[in-house]
Amino acid sequence: MRIAIAGLGTVGVGVIRLLATNAGIIAARAGRRIEVVAVSARDRGKDRGVDIAPFAWEDDMTALARRDDVDVVVELVGGSDGPALACSRAALAAGKGLVTANKAMIAHHGLELAGLAEASNAPLKFEAAVAGGIPVIKGLREGTSANALTKVYGILNGTCNYILSTMERTGADFAAVLAEAQARGFAEADPAFDIEGVDAAHKLAILAAIGFGTRVDFAGVRIAGITRVRAADIAQADALGFVIRLVGEADVEETPQGARLLQRVRPCLVARGHPLSAVDGPTNAVVAEGNFSGRLLFQGAGAGDGPTASAVAADLIDIARDEVGAPFSIPVANLAAIPPAEPGERTERSYIRFMVKDRPGVLAEITAAMRDGGVSIESLIQQGRSAEGGEVMVAMVTHEGPEANVARALALLEGSDSLAGDPLVLPILPL
Ligand SMILES: NC(=O)c1ccc[n+]([C@@H]2O[C@H](COP(=O)([O-])OP(=O)(O)OC[C@H]3O[C@@H](n4cnc5c(N)ncnc54)[C@H](OP(=O)(O)O)[C@@H]3O)[C@@H](O)[C@H]2O)c1
């Protein structure tokens, strides 16, 4: 099987290395050799640490899709639109297979690309787009395909997990840990997509589509990132028996108005003892709960050249074996269009943190707002005293109750000059 690779960065070079190192194993399992015949990137002269001289070069990556000597195009450029999308569309329209690691493109254009793939009877695969080296798409499409899933959730962004678990270990604050993560290559120079939760939301939208047989709905994901989590929150969570993790979760709920798809990404308190609490550093983990399989945990490296290349090559082997089904598990026309769940309709326990002016009456004001909003407080902690006129932290854990009540209580406190800044609400993930 002859392939062309668009994008020779971390993942592209990883794929070239893997295909060369494991050529024998791959040929035996795929039933034929998988050979790179052509490549494309921005800078032809760049030293990439692998010899690309044996491969044909195209300046325009879309030209890869027009080559007669190419069976499958591997898109490893990135970006939801631009050249990656043009090249992917061209490959599928030409009837060539497409393998991609591009979660942003699949989250935004996955349905269109899957439609093109079906129309051309061409394979489209994107295992590496979700949780890097973890075969979670395979797990959901194949391993749990006989189940109705009740829930899919997990830690989908290694950068955030590295930052949160490092804050936990060192006690350092967000900005310092982010800077260190950038210096060590665990965070991008522009980390916005990661720390704001967008990258995890791309992956969640893909998992939800496959897990629940729904149309990919990235716009329906409610997203909160980790930038407002302080070292003091992590210490407080620790004292209460929790760690803080950025969790993406999706489920489908039957309501009197019909089915609703809930998709959200937000930092959560995770009880020590929950399998996700032990997921540290840049690791990813996905939990899928099936009605017959029970709880399944997929865990491993969510990024990096080796793990991501492993997922890309597994897709190539499936294509070489002619083992490909519908990209989202069922044909595009049969994917359900389920409206997003309304915010505030679920019940949960929450951790709420306030920074308040250190003066009498503040606690009474907060607890009155909670009472009037219908929020029942399980525990309340006021940390130390500040220097005169300073700020102190007040944290509480609520009993399980409607999310909307927390919002109502906080609305009652809006504009109060007792508060120094907006409160932070973090849900507590059920065990
Ligand atoms: N890195 C990971 O661990 C990881 C994990 C999972 C998924 N992914 C996904 O895999 C994809 C690639 O990621 P990566 O980390 O390998 O990226 P990367 O190291 O930045 O490499 C991107 C490659 O694309 C080329 N490129 C970028 N813009 C281009 C343009 N306008 N025209 C032509 N070529 C262009 C670059 O060319 P030059 O080298 O010539 O500049 C480079 O070779 C992304 O979709 C990413 O989300 C990455």
Side-chain angles (χ1 to χ4, degrees), residues 315-329:
D315 280 348
L316 289 168
I317 292 171
D318 276 352
I319 295 174
R321 289 166 165 167
D322 276 333
E323 285 178 6
V324 280
F328 289 99
S329 194

Side-chain angles (χ1 to χ4, degrees), residues 7-11 41-43 46 48 61 76-78 83 101-103 128 303-304 308:
L8 298 172
T10 305
V11 185
R42 249 179 322 222
D43 177 358
K46 196 173 185 175
R48 300 176 187 276
M61 68 178 81
L76 302 171
V77 174
N102 189 335
K103 50 251 172 178
T308 312

Side-chain angles (χ1 to χ4, degrees), residues 173 228-234 236 351-359 362-363 365-366 370 381-387 389-396 410 413 415-425:
D173 236 319
R228 296 192 57 228
V229 176
R230 297 181 176 208
D233 294 312
I234 290 181
Q236 189 57 66
Y351 162 92
I352 310 175
R353 179 261 288 160
F354 302 87
M355 295 307 298
V356 301
K357 310 254 175 71
D358 190 8
R359 64 185 189 208
V362 174
L363 273 188
E365 189 182 341
I366 291 175
M370 293 296 141
I381 308 113
Q382 175 168 17
Q383 279 196 343
R385 295 297 307 264
S386 68
E391 296 172 5
V392 288
M393 181 168 137
V394 172
M396 66 175 67
L410 296 184
L413 288 167
S416 160
D417 70 355
S418 300
L419 302 192
D422 290 337
L424 177 73
V425 182

Side-chain angles (χ1 to χ4, degrees), residues 6-13 40-44 46 48 57 59-61 75-79 82-84 100-105 128-133 188 199 203 302-305 307-308 312:
L8 298 172
T10 305
V11 185
V13 168
S40 175
R42 249 179 322 222
D43 177 358
R44 186 172 188 170
K46 196 173 185 175
R48 300 176 187 276
W57 174 274
D59 283 324
D60 168 13
M61 68 178 81
E75 185 280 305
L76 302 171
V77 174
T100 177
N102 189 335
K103 50 251 172 178
M105 179 176 77
V130 179
E188 305 275 342
D199 175 77
K203 297 168 187 167
D305 56 344
T308 312
V312 169

